[in-house]
């Protein structure tokens, strides 16, 4: 029995949905189902009653919920034993935030020469778990997170960048709007692989009363921008920081006319731990690194 299996089990038990549990854990639904099946084989009992429309806990499953919660609490307590000293801090994010992180760390060290600040690369789900466990004191993320015990500070809002092949009918538009874009298929990785981008654009389309059509999903070893050259009738969206490093040959980059394709960039900390001066100054310094220009 693995802690990962108990975490996935608890997510399904609380959500009563394998798909919602997968989104909550930022993994694919098949990964959740596989680990739950392994756990059930180890226990020799079914933990859920599944039908085509509902998921319910069995008697054994309901009893396991409280044990799983206790195990998750013990894991966090054990990891917290390695919490950094007061002048040490670990900031976690992905590689697209490296420039922001380095600039903020330089600024903080000018005010706190004794500070030891590490920038640790992690995937989104790992970033949040690192903050809740005490392994990292600040996570720099796109979007937000709703979880008890966490405090989220919005640092800036980032426009997503619309990418078109230069032969696309909208390529000549300075700032195409959602109504125009909705007439063409969207190219993105599968929802399970890029939940945040899917959520942003699905929400924007729904609020605008528009229907969203998808082109073929982008394979994990391909990029959406490159795939547009094979499917010039489609369009895609990428992060502004990704756009800056993406080759422009054969492509055009635009911002949606009414800025409806946006998402926040946020700092996440453990609300139960008193903030240090270094931590507060780091968050302020990160906010000061907000990008400028047409994609900020």
């Amino acid at each position: 029995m693995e802690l990962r299996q108990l975490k996935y089990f608890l997510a399904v038990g609380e959500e009563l949905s394998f798909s919602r549990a997968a989104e909550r854990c930022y993994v694919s639904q098949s990964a959740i189902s596989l680990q739950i099946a392994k756990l059930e084989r180890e226990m020799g009992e079914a933990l859920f009653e599944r039908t085509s429309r509902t998921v319910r806990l069995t008697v054994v499953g309901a009893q396991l919920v409280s044990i799983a919660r206790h195990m998750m609490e013990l894991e966090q307590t054990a990891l917290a034993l390695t919490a950094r000293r007061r002048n040490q801090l670990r900031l976690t994010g992905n590689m697209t935030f490296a420039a922001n992180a380095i600039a903020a760390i330089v600024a903080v060290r000018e005010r706190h020469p004794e500070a030891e600040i590490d920038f640790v690369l992690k995937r989104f789900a790992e970033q949040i778990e690192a903050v809740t466990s005490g392994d990292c004191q600040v996570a720099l993320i796109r979007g937000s997170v709703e979880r008890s015990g966490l405090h989220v500070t919005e640092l800036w809002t980032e426009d997503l960048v619309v990418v078109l092949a230069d032969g696309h009918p909208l390529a000549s538009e300075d700032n195409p709007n959602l109504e125009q874009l909705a007439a063409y298929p969207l190219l993105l990785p599968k929802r399970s692989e890029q939940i945040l981008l899917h959520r942003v654009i699905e929400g924007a389309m729904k609020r605008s009363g528009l229907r969203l059509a998808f082109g073929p999903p982008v394979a994990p070893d391909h990029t959406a921008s490159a795939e547009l050259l094979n499917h010039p009738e489609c369009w895609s969206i990428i992060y502004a920081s990704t756009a800056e490093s993406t080759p422009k040959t054969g492509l055009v980059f635009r911002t949606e006319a009414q800025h409806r394709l946006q998402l926040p960039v946020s700092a996440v900390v453990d609300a139960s731990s008193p903030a240090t001066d270094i931590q507060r100054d780091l968050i302020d310094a990160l906010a000061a690194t907000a990008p400028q220009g047409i994609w900020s």
Side-chain angles (χ1 to χ4, degrees):
M1 184 181 298
E2 301 176 6
L3 286 173
R4 176 181 57 169
Q5 293 171 337
L6 289 176
K7 180 171 72 174
Y8 291 172
F9 160 76
L10 190 58
V12 177
E14 292 177 344
E15 299 289 345
L16 294 181
S17 164
F18 278 74
S19 60
R20 289 196 298 273
E23 289 193 14
R24 168 172 153 180
C25 296
Y26 300 97
V27 297
S28 66
Q29 186 172 334
S30 60
I32 289 270
S33 299
L34 177 64
Q35 294 302 323
I36 294 296
K38 287 182 177 179
L39 183 59
E40 289 179 322
R41 285 197 298 271
E42 284 187 44
M43 297 194 65
E45 291 276 357
L47 301 174
F48 297 99
E49 296 176 355
R50 308 164 176 82
T51 70
S52 59
R53 309 179 91 176
T54 63
V55 175
R56 292 188 300 176
L57 287 159
T58 63
V59 173
V60 173
Q63 293 172 337
L64 184 59
V65 166
S66 61
I67 297 173
R69 285 177 178 152
H70 183 56
M71 291 297 293
M72 295 301 100
E73 291 171 359
L74 288 176
E75 180 192 31
Q76 292 187 16
T77 301
L79 290 172
L81 293 175
T82 61
R84 296 281 176 156
R85 298 193 305 271
R86 192 167 184 81
N87 68 332
Q88 293 179 309
L89 185 146
R90 281 161 61 89
L91 165 67
T92 182
N94 63 38
M95 191 60 194
T96 63
F97 287 129
N100 304 84
I102 292 170
I105 290 170
V106 169
V108 171
R109 281 191 47 77
E110 288 179 354
R111 296 190 60 184
H112 303 276
E114 77 285 0
E116 297 179 22
I117 304 174
D118 295 329
F119 178 51
V120 186
L121 297 176
K122 292 181 181 289
R123 294 179 299 176
F124 182 87
E126 295 172 336
Q127 294 165 17
I128 303 306
E129 293 304 321
V131 171
T132 58
S133 69
D135 178 51
C136 293
Q137 288 68 52
V138 181
L140 182 58
I141 67 168
R142 285 186 176 88
S144 188
V145 62
E146 295 182 6
R147 185 182 296 188
S148 61
L150 296 178
H151 178 73
V152 180
T153 301
E154 185 174 320
L155 303 177
W156 68 81
T157 300
E158 183 180 275
D159 273 320
L160 293 170
V161 178
V162 176
V163 187
L164 304 160
D166 58 13
H168 192 282
L170 297 179
S172 60
E173 294 281 339
D174 288 338
N175 298 105
N177 59 40
L178 275 187
E179 286 73 17
Q180 293 172 301
L181 292 167
Y184 301 94
L186 172 66
L187 277 185
L188 279 182
K190 291 190 299 184
R191 196 173 195 277
S192 60
E193 296 168 3
Q194 255 303 357
I195 293 173
L196 182 56
L197 286 181
H198 278 264
R199 283 178 175 172
V200 170
I201 194 165
E202 288 167 2
M205 289 287 187
K206 184 176 181 180
R207 288 189 295 272
S208 300
L210 300 171
R211 293 177 63 86
L212 180 61
F214 285 96
V218 178
D221 58 349
H222 289 60
T223 64
S225 55
E227 282 300 286
L228 285 173
L229 302 178
N230 296 319
H231 301 280
E233 75 285 1
C234 297
W235 61 288
S236 190
I237 52 174
I238 58 177
Y239 300 123
S241 55
T242 304
E244 292 172 358
S245 59
T246 299
K248 308 298 190 292
T249 305
L251 302 172
V252 296
F253 296 79
R254 299 288 186 260
T255 301
E256 196 276 325
Q258 299 178 38
H259 299 281
R260 285 174 284 183
L261 297 178
Q262 291 186 328
L263 75 168
V265 174
S266 307
V268 182
V269 302
D270 181 358
S272 65
S273 300
T276 65
D277 290 341
I278 294 173
Q279 187 182 51
R280 284 190 291 265
D281 287 348
L282 179 64
I283 291 172
D284 289 341
L286 287 168
T289 69
Q292 303 300 315
I294 63 168
W295 295 328
S296 62

